[in-house]
Amino acid sequence: MKNSKTVLIDKNPGRNAQTFGIARHLGTDVDLIHEPSIGVVGNKGDSQCYLGVSKKVSVIHEALLNRVGSEPGKLAMRLVQPEFTVATSDGIRNGTKEMRYSLIGREVANDAICEHLSASGIEGVIAVVACDKPPVGTLAAILEHNRPAIIMSDGSIRPGKNSKTNEPIDIITSYQFAGSEDEEEKKRIALESCPGIGSCGGMFTYNTMQTFIGVVGMQPLHMISPASEDELRVKLFPDQLIDYLSYMIKNDIKPRDIVNKQSIRNAIIVSMAVGGSTNVMLHAPELARAAGYKNFLKDVMSFEEFNHLSKNVVPVIVNARPFGVYSMVDIDMKGGMQVIVKDLLEAGLLYGDALTCTGETLREQLTRLKPPKPDGEVIFSVREPFKETGGLRVLGGNLSPENSSILKLAGVEGGLENNIFTGTAKIFNGEQSLLDKLDTEPEFFDNFDMVVVRYEGPTGGPGMPEMLDSTSRITTLCRERNIIIALMTDGRFSGGSVGLVIGHVGPEAAIGGPIALIDNGDQIIVNLNNNELLCVELLDKKTFDDRQARWQAEVDENNGVHPAVGEADTRLLNRMRCSAVSAVYGAGMHPDRNLWVSEPRCSIEVTFNPQNKFKQKT
C-alpha cells in the first residue's frame, strides 16, 4: 500500500528525480519509490569496538536488497542506503580531557538517528550497534520515531592472552597496570589485551546495555552474546532480523509497544543479576524518557524498590569480569545470555508476558530457544548464586538528596564493616588533579580515605566523564598496599571500574549540590543498611549554611560560574552545559529541561537548597 504522501510526491518530478536515482544506484524497483522505506543504520567510531559494524551493515543491506521488490513474497518497500552515527572511544579517551565527549556521544547518536529516521520517514529499520553510548542513543531515537525497528549488537571482542602467564586479559588489565614503572611490561600488556575486534568483553557497560536492550525486547536474546567475529552475525542473523522486522511491519508492532514499564523493569532486574555497570542508571532513565516515562524513579521503579530488589531479592548469577573471571565469550559458550534470563524468569523475578521484537513474549522466546541450565562455574542459578545480593545499589542521604548516587556493590573489594564505610574526605576539583596526585605522590593517599572528585557532572564537566583511569590506579594502589580507598564523584564510572566507588552524586557540584560543600578532613559515611551517603559535618545546619554562602560567594565573584567547572570551549560542550538534566533523569540533553528546573536556562547559575528544589538565580 502506498503511503499518505504518494499523491503529492507523484506530481513533483523534482522530488522524484533523486529518489529514482537512488533506486537505480541500489538496483531496486523504481516503481517502489513511493512505498514505505526500509533500511539499516549502524554505530561507528574511532576504536576497534566499531570495526565490525560496517561489515554487518553491508551484509544486512545486501540481504534486504534480495528481499525487497514487487514480486509475490517480497517486501514491497523502498530500500534506502545505510546511515551511521559517530562517537569517541571510551577506552582511548579515559583519563584525558576528551573523555567529556563520551556520554555526549549518546546524544550525538540520538541526533543522527533521529534526523535520519524522522526526516526520511523510515517505516522499518535494523540497527547494528557497538560500544555502549551510541546503542542507547540509537534506541532512544528509535523509541521517539516509534516505527517498527529491531537491534543487533555487533558483539564483544574476544579476550587477549598474557604471553607470560597464559591468563586471559582485557582492557581493564591494561588500565590496572597503568601505575607500573616497567615501561616494557606496560607495552606488552597493552599489545596483548585487545587482539581482535568488537566491544569490551566483560560485564562492563557495553554488555550490560546489550543485555538490557535484549531483555527490554528490542534485540533477540540469542544475538546478545556471540562475539563480533562469530560467523553467526553475518551468515544467520541478517535474514532472521529481516524476518522479525517483516513481522513487526506487517502487524504494526512499534518500539513503544515493546519498551514499557514491565519490560524496563525486567531489564533493570537482569542488570542487577549480572552485576552490571553503574551506567545503566543513566541509560535506563534516558530510555524510559524516550518510551514516554518522564521520571524513572516515580514511573518505573522507585529508589526504595530498586534497593529492596538488589539487597533482598536479586542475587548476582554470573562470574564475569570485572568482579569475576569470565567474559561474554565464556557466557556464550555456556548457552548465552538466554540462560540467565530463563533462570530469572523461572524464579519468578521477570514479567514473562512482555512482548519482544521477535513477535513473541519473553517467555515464548525463551521456550523456543531452549537454553541449557546454568553450568555453575560461569553462569549460576538464583537458587545457588555467585553473590548473594544484586550488583547495584542506589544511595540517598544528605550528600545525595536526589537519590541518584550509584554503587556497584558487585565490584567492592573491601572496606565495608557491617555494611558501613567511614572515611576521611580528600577533595579534588576535577579528575585531572587526582590523576596528577596519583602520578606524583601516591603516598599522599591513606587507608580509609574517601576521595571526592567534583565538578565533573553533566553540567560541570561538562559531559560527565567516566573515571576508569582513576579507579584503576586506585584499585592497584589498594591491592599493592593492602589498604582501602573509596571514591565518590558527581561524574561517572566505566563498567570496568571496581572498588568502593560511588558515582552520579547529585545534585552536582556545579549547581551547588552538597558535594560542593565538603571540606578536606570531613567524615564521610557510606551506610548500606539504610542506603545513605552522608557528610557528618553537613548535618549541622550552621555549617551547611556557612559553606553554602562561601560557595555562592565564589560563584558571584566569577560572574555566576564556579571557577572549578570545566571549560565549555566547543558548541557541543556548551550545548551539554546548557541543556543537560541531572543524572537521576539520565544526564541527557533535553530542550524540555524546564520539567526539572524552574526555567529553561543556558548557564549554570542554579543553586541548590536543602529542600531538594532548584531555583534560577536572579
Side-chain angles (χ1 to χ4, degrees):
M1 180 181 294
K2 293 185 177 182
N3 64 38
S4 59
K5 298 181 181 179
T6 297
V7 174
L8 177 63
I9 294 173
D10 279 347
K11 289 183 177 180
N12 193 313
R15 283 192 288 264
N16 287 350
Q18 284 197 342
T19 321
F20 280 130
I22 292 169
R24 284 195 301 269
H25 177 76
L26 295 179
T28 56
D29 190 339
V30 294
D31 290 332
L32 294 177
I33 67 167
H34 301 305
E35 297 299 332
S37 55
I38 190 170
V40 192
V41 297
N43 297 151
K44 293 190 76 174
D46 66 339
S47 76
Q48 67 201 103
C49 308
Y50 304 98
L51 290 178
V53 172
S54 294
K55 180 178 180 180
K56 278 84 167 184
V57 167
S58 178
V59 171
I60 294 169
H61 180 76
E62 287 299 314
L64 276 171
L65 187 60
N66 294 328
R67 298 278 294 268
V68 299
S70 303
E71 301 92 335
K74 290 196 171 186
L75 290 163
M77 300 183 75
R78 173 190 170 224
L79 180 62
V80 299
Q81 65 248 39
E83 290 283 357
F84 292 91
T85 66
V86 296
T88 190
S89 165
D90 290 358
I92 297 172
R93 306 289 177 254
N94 245 291
T96 73
K97 190 176 181 180
E98 288 76 25
M99 193 61 199
R100 297 177 298 169
Y101 289 95
S102 170
L103 185 61
I104 291 175
R106 183 188 72 181
E107 308 302 293
V108 172
N110 182 289
D111 286 350
I113 297 297
C114 179
E115 192 276 341
H116 177 58
L117 299 182
S118 300
S120 303
I122 291 181
E123 288 294 307
V125 67
I126 298 171
V128 182
V129 297
C131 203
D132 56 341
K133 312 306 182 303
V136 180
T138 298
L139 178 53
I142 283 170
L143 285 164
E144 290 165 347
H145 185 59
N146 203 34
R147 298 306 303 155
I150 191 168
I151 290 174
M152 180 185 78
S153 61
D154 174 65
S156 297
I157 186 174
R158 293 188 170 110
K161 180 181 286 187
N162 188 321
S163 60
K164 290 187 176 180
T165 66
N166 288 323
E167 294 176 338
I169 57 176
D170 57 25
I171 193 170
I172 303 305
T173 312
S174 294
Y175 268 100
Q176 292 178 352
F177 209 74
S180 170
E181 296 181 0
D182 188 332
E183 295 302 321
E184 284 300 314
E185 275 294 278
K186 285 199 285 189
K187 181 178 180 180
R188 182 182 68 81
I189 291 294
L191 282 168
E192 295 174 356
S193 292
C194 300
I197 63 172
S199 298
C200 290
M203 195 51 67
F204 314 147
T205 308
Y206 169 72
N207 278 315
T208 300
M209 293 317 301
Q210 293 318 307
T211 300
F212 189 102
I213 291 169
V215 176
V216 86
M218 289 301 295
Q219 173 171 212
L221 293 175
H222 67 287
M223 296 185 187
I224 298 171
S225 54
S228 175
E229 296 177 283
D230 194 309
E231 286 297 301
L232 289 172
R233 295 200 176 278
V234 292
K235 291 187 175 178
L236 181 64
F237 293 170
D239 277 315
Q240 290 182 346
L241 289 165
I242 297 170
D243 287 341
Y244 298 141
L245 182 62
S246 299
Y247 182 88
M248 295 173 73
I249 293 169
K250 181 179 179 180
N251 292 277
D252 197 28
I253 298 173
K254 299 180 291 294
R256 286 194 179 194
D257 297 326
I258 295 170
V259 181
N260 52 38
K261 179 178 179 179
Q262 288 75 24
S263 65
I264 297 171
R265 288 169 60 87
N266 281 348
I268 287 290
I269 288 168
V270 175
S271 297
M272 293 177 185
V274 298
S277 166
T278 54
N279 283 307
V280 74
M281 288 307 286
L282 287 179
H283 297 327
E286 167 62 8
L287 292 174
R289 176 207 62 80
Y293 302 97
K294 291 292 183 183
N295 190 320
F296 178 85
L297 292 180
K298 287 184 179 180
D299 300 333
V300 179
M301 182 179 287
S302 71
F303 162 77
E304 294 81 7
E305 185 182 12
F306 183 98
N307 285 326
H308 169 71
L309 288 169
S310 187
K311 182 178 180 180
N312 303 308
V313 180
V314 184
V316 175
I317 58 174
V318 62
N319 178 9
R321 296 264 292 159
F323 53 85
V325 299
Y326 295 107
S327 72
M328 185 59 89
V329 173
D330 300 301
I331 292 171
D332 188 56
M333 290 176 64
K334 299 300 181 180
M337 194 53 62
Q338 55 267 37
V339 176
I340 293 170
V341 180
K342 184 182 180 185
D343 188 76
L344 290 164
L345 179 66
E346 290 178 342
L349 298 179
L350 302 179
Y351 178 72
D353 291 335
L355 181 64
T356 74
C357 60
T358 66
E360 304 158 301
T361 64
L362 182 65
R363 181 180 290 107
E364 289 169 342
Q365 193 182 159
L366 288 165
T367 299
R368 174 176 55 80
L369 292 173
K370 298 179 181 177
K373 294 288 184 182
D375 67 290
E377 180 182 352
V378 179
I379 302 173
F380 291 71
S381 171
V382 171
R383 294 164 183 81
E384 296 181 62
F386 180 62
K387 295 193 175 192
E388 292 294 332
T389 58
L392 299 168
R393 195 70 63 84
V394 175
L395 306 177
N398 74 339
L399 288 177
S400 183
E402 288 186 332
N403 296 330
S404 61
S405 301
I406 181 80
L407 167 69
K408 187 171 182 175
L409 190 57
V412 173
E413 297 185 345
L416 292 170
E417 185 71 29
N418 298 318
N419 287 321
I420 296 174
F421 171 86
T422 302
T424 303
K426 285 186 174 174
I427 308 298
F428 295 88
N429 288 339
E431 185 193 18
Q432 192 57 55
S433 60
L434 170 60
L435 289 171
D436 291 344
K437 186 67 76 171
L438 286 165
D439 271 341
T440 60
E441 297 181 65
E443 68 279 3
F444 172 81
F445 299 92
D446 298 316
N447 198 22
F448 290 101
D449 276 347
M450 170 59 86
V451 173
V452 179
V453 182
R454 60 194 183 189
Y455 297 101
E456 294 285 19
T459 295
M464 205 179 187
E466 72 182 29
M467 301 182 187
L468 178 58
D469 200 350
S470 298
T471 59
S472 297
R473 289 169 187 250
I474 288 173
T475 295
T476 301
L477 188 65
C478 289
R479 290 172 180 174
E480 288 175 347
R481 293 172 52 189
N482 194 28
I483 62 174
I484 301 296
I485 301 172
L487 188 154
M488 60 178 282
T489 180
D490 52 8
R492 60 186 183 86
F493 299 117
S494 162
S497 294
V498 292
L500 211 167
V501 295
I502 299 166
H504 312 180
V505 177
E508 62 176 295
I511 59 174
I515 189 174
L517 311 182
I518 304 172
D519 278 354
N520 280 308
D522 283 356
Q523 187 178 42
I524 308 298
I525 298 174
V526 182
N527 188 333
L528 298 186
N529 295 312
N530 58 12
N531 299 310
E532 286 188 336
L533 179 63
L534 297 172
C535 175
V536 173
E537 285 73 10
L538 292 180
L539 292 171
D540 177 71
K541 185 178 186 303
K542 184 178 186 307
T543 300
F544 186 100
D545 290 345
D546 288 347
R547 293 188 185 180
Q548 189 176 52
R550 182 187 66 192
W551 180 89
Q552 190 61 57
E554 292 172 340
V555 169
D556 292 341
E557 290 170 8
N558 197 51
N559 299 314
V561 178
H562 194 278
V565 303
E567 187 178 17
D569 53 356
T570 67
R571 188 167 69 171
L572 195 53
L573 290 174
N574 187 62
R575 180 182 163 207
M576 186 72 175
R577 172 154 292 164
C578 292
S579 61
V581 296
S582 172
V584 76
Y585 301 111
M589 301 179 185
H590 298 308
D592 54 354
R593 184 176 184 165
N594 59 313
L595 293 174
W596 293 282
V597 295
S598 58
E599 299 175 33
R601 60 187 172 88
C602 196
S603 72
I604 55 171
E605 299 178 26
V606 172
T607 56
F608 166 79
N609 67 40
Q611 285 72 47
N612 192 23
K613 295 178 182 177
F614 296 88
K615 56 186 179 182
Q616 180 79 31
K617 273 192 63 186
T618 58

